[in-house]
Amino acid sequence: MAPLKVLIAGAGIAGPALAFWLARIGCETTVIERSSAIRDSGHQVDLRGQGIVVMRLMGIEDAVRARLCTEPGMRFVDHRGRSQAFIPANRTGKGTQSATSEFEIMRGDMVDLLYEATRDLKGVKYIFDSHIKDFTQDEGSPNGKVHVTFADGTKDDYDILVGAEGIGSKTRKIMLGPSFPDPRHDLGAHVAYYTAPAQEGDSNDWITCLIPGRKFLMTRKDKPENIRVYLATRGNCETLHAAKTLAKQKAALAELFKGSEGAQLDRYLKALVESPMADDLYSQHMTQIRLPEGAWSRGRVVLLGDAAYCPTPFGGGVGTTAALIGAYLLAGELAKRWEANGGSLDTSGIEAASKEYERHLRPFITSEQKGHSWFVKAILPETKLVAWLFHTVVWIIASLRIDRLLQNLFTPEESHKLEYPDYFGLQRKM
């Protein structure tokens, strides 16, 4: 039988991870990416729980560990930089992870190592400077195809199309149609990330400074020569949304935070405007993707990663973890039916695999998407009193080691044993 011909739109984390697993069942997989090369930029991400298990099953743990950020933990400071509370990373491999995971890595490094792990696999091909213009699929045909038109006018047919292009997925928009309700759930805040030059004495901790007026400043340091800056605001996002060029985005962000009280804020705003390092600025509204049950796929078209279920752009490692788990589950369900049908898969088999992938993953996504609204309000305080109360609570937790107590009381994140089906028989070999 001919191999399954699969098109994956998006070469971030979810797309290459899926290509890795599809190669195990001999698929002919093409990954297209709108950018001219792998986008190796982005902020710090991490892996947790079953994401760590899947990463180990992929055999890339050594490659991930070689690029880890050595972050001691999360430190809350006041506007003068004075420490209010410190929550250390849990690197014991036991219990629940703290704010800083055992596996902290820059998004660009994670994308790069997944690309390196898949680019030479048999049946996997990457095409850059390419994206989908439109597609249709054969409705009601057991042996139908997805007919794709690319931006350059070329056309091709595929057995499966996977949309993994992130929150703004065009595949999702076309698949669901113009009358489908907007799946974006607004968290009411805007966050921006950029790089600034490091200075002697900069902490390696994850520094968090709450700024009255519904703002925060965070910094994380993954390299000696630079520091990563995070600025967020709740409300007052109109000027940020209207700014379409890099220069206008920088100016709008600097103006919005001008006069605010934050630890070394003036330094970071100066770097934003003047340092070439800050040209990697990435600014976005904090949004979740919440699709109703059954809407992660239609026919031979499936959504994966943030395109289907973005927890939030500030998700504590959940987005990366969910991308890896989702890729494993989707490929595993396809492989199970491919093998059961003697190396063939009709439309009903693809639909069944897609629905089962969603059934396995949706409970995790639903639980992780809850509670972000109150957290956004708490960490972006309206007044000095709210900021003080937040610091006080965190200080009590840290001082009394309540975080350690919680790690022992609650069910730990399982990072050694696979809790999903062992589709490829790899858990038994670990």
Side-chain angles (χ1 to χ4, degrees), residues 142-164:
N143 299 310
K145 300 287 184 181
V146 183
H147 310 286
V148 179
T149 301
F150 297 94
D152 62 1
T154 59
K155 300 180 179 182
D156 207 344
D157 299 335
Y158 297 88
D159 296 306
I160 304 172
L161 167 61
V162 180

